Amino acid sequence: MGKRTVPAVYQVGKVLSYLAKGPNFKVKLTDIARDLGFHKSRVYYILNTLREFGLVEKDPSTKAYSLGPALIFMGEKVLENLDYRRKAEPFLKELARITGCTAFFGKISEGKIYVVAKEYADDGVKITIPLGYRFPLSYGALGKLMLAFGDKEGKRDLLEDERLKLWAERVNLEEELSRFRKEGYAEDIKEMDPRFSSVASPVLDPTNRVIGMVFVVGTFDESTAHLYGPYVASTAKELSKVICGSF
């Protein structure tokens, strides 16, 4: 077990992995405890807790345990993200080639933006943000876009972020948001991190709801950001069509 793991969560992970990889679909409590080397009472409490979330089921006749139906929905989410990645990668590869930056696609889920696809340029700075990394919706150029394209209620929540609020107070906010909507992209010039800049554009569903974002990250200046912006916006528009159908 790693130094920075949480023991209780580690044990839960071991139980779920055992149920997934074991030779039998249904396994009795005593077998799980014996094979994992955990105390029987500990495994009992873990299994009962997992049952509360539908992650584990118990056969009332045999008293054996198996993986639960909630994992089906979790698996569907993973497959959904893999499909987004497959669709996004060719567009990101071309965008990375044109800009010389690292290009990303982030999907919005539960108030966060999750990186589900990325492509590096052959030459240029490689930004090592891992797949699965999540940004708050208020982060840098992403937050500016959400202010421009999101709903009014979401706008109030976004402006609770101190850095985004400071930016909003420093500029003519409505003028800037109008520009983002017109040009289809927003930029962050080394505001969130003094080493890097970003340009982002929204991926929209047929109702013009933001479902994700295409963005590039590099070491460019403001004038270069406006050269890259139309390419990022065009990529996001094309990806919107591929993901959601033509509209």
Side-chain angles (χ1 to χ4, degrees):
M1 185 169 60
K3 292 181 180 179
R4 296 190 179 184
T5 57
V6 179
V9 179
Y10 175 84
Q11 291 174 345
V12 170
K14 291 288 285 184
V15 169
L16 285 173
S17 295
Y18 179 86
L19 290 173
K21 298 175 182 178
N24 301 311
F25 177 66
K26 295 182 179 182
V27 190
K28 291 189 175 181
L29 171 63
T30 52
D31 295 331
I32 299 171
R34 182 194 66 239
D35 291 347
L36 293 179
F38 294 163
H39 196 279
K40 186 176 175 181
S41 63
R42 168 60 65 179
V43 176
Y44 174 78
Y45 290 127
I46 288 173
L47 291 168
N48 268 359
T49 304
L50 290 172
R51 288 177 65 197
E52 289 292 318
F53 293 92
L55 299 171
V56 164
E57 285 187 319
K58 182 179 181 181
D59 187 320
S61 59
T62 64
K63 311 297 183 185
Y65 293 86
S66 61
L67 294 175
L71 290 168
I72 295 172
F73 302 105
M74 292 183 180
E76 286 176 348
K77 279 292 182 183
V78 174
L79 291 174
E80 181 181 314
N81 280 346
L82 290 174
D83 190 47
Y84 279 122
R85 181 180 177 183
R86 178 183 60 79
K87 290 177 178 178
E89 280 178 346
F91 293 96
L92 298 182
K93 187 172 291 187
E94 178 65 8
L95 183 60
R97 185 191 67 79
I98 292 170
T99 62
C101 299
T102 304
F104 299 89
F105 171 62
K107 180 176 175 290
I108 295 176
S109 179
E110 297 181 0
K112 304 286 184 183
I113 300 176
Y114 290 81
V115 174
V116 297
K118 67 176 179 180
E119 288 291 335
Y120 297 122
D122 291 333
D123 298 310
V125 178
K126 288 180 169 59
I127 309 299
T128 56
I129 299 171
L131 295 179
Y133 187 86
R134 59 183 183 179
F135 292 97
L137 283 178
S138 58
Y139 192 85
L142 309 177
K144 295 175 184 179
L145 276 183
M146 290 306 298
L147 285 177
F149 290 90
D151 56 38
K152 291 181 179 179
E153 183 178 344
K155 181 176 176 179
R156 287 195 297 270
D157 293 338
L158 288 166
L159 288 174
E160 291 181 3
D161 181 277
E162 192 62 31
R163 283 185 289 190
L164 190 60
K165 183 180 178 181
L166 287 172
W167 169 81
E169 292 172 347
R170 193 171 65 247
V171 301
N172 183 322
L173 183 59
E174 290 309 316
E175 187 176 290
E176 283 291 273
L177 298 184
S178 178
R179 176 174 70 84
F180 298 155
R181 286 188 285 266
K182 180 180 179 181
E183 296 179 344
Y185 68 88
E187 68 282 347
D188 178 292
I189 309 302
K190 301 181 180 179
E191 297 171 48
M192 302 303 294
D193 187 320
R195 300 170 297 169
F196 304 117
S197 299
S198 63
V199 177
S201 185
V203 173
L204 305 171
D205 73 5
T207 67
N208 285 326
R209 180 176 63 92
V210 183
I211 62 169
M213 294 189 193
V214 171
F215 56 102
V216 295
V217 181
T219 57
F220 49 84
D221 58 17
E222 186 168 2
S223 62
T224 305
H226 291 298
L227 292 176
Y228 292 164
Y231 293 112
V232 178
S234 175
T235 300
K237 187 174 182 180
E238 290 303 310
L239 191 53
S240 297
K241 292 177 182 178
V242 169
I243 290 176
C244 303
S246 182
F247 56 91

